[in-house]
Amino acid sequence: MARVKNISLGPDAQARLDELVKKAKASSASETVRNALRFYEYVVEESIAGSDFFVRKKGDKDSDLTKIKFIY
């Protein structure tokens, strides 16, 4: 059974969440937060295990990889 949690977001954070819900085409802010938590958990666990994360521009296979540093 789902448990309800209340979180406080300032106006800027609320606006960012609302925009992310739209961009992700999510059904709700709750879905977006759940997905964000899953992703963040993965990043933290993989970082602890010694993994690195990189990004490359879509469609540009010749571009350099940029290492992403996560702060947690």
Side-chain angles (χ1 to χ4, degrees), residues 19-63:
E19 188 62 27
L20 189 55
V21 169
K22 290 177 192 173
K23 287 179 180 178
K25 297 179 182 168
S27 64
S28 66
S30 293
E31 176 188 4
T32 303
V33 170
R34 285 191 299 271
N35 289 338
L37 286 171
R38 283 186 202 100
F39 178 74
Y40 191 61
E41 180 181 34
Y42 173 77
V43 166
V44 169
E45 293 298 325
E46 286 296 320
S47 295
I48 290 169
S51 297
D52 291 321
F53 295 87
F54 297 87
V55 65
R56 177 182 304 169
K57 294 281 185 189
K58 184 177 179 179
D60 189 358
K61 295 185 186 342
D62 295 326
S63 70

Side-chain angles (χ1 to χ4, degrees), residues 3-27:
R3 291 178 22 191
V4 175
K5 295 282 184 182
N6 292 314
I7 60 171
S8 295
L9 297 176
D12 291 341
Q14 182 63 55
R16 290 170 58 202
L17 177 58
D18 292 342
E19 188 62 27
L20 189 55
V21 169
K22 290 177 192 173
K23 287 179 180 178
K25 297 179 182 168
S27 64

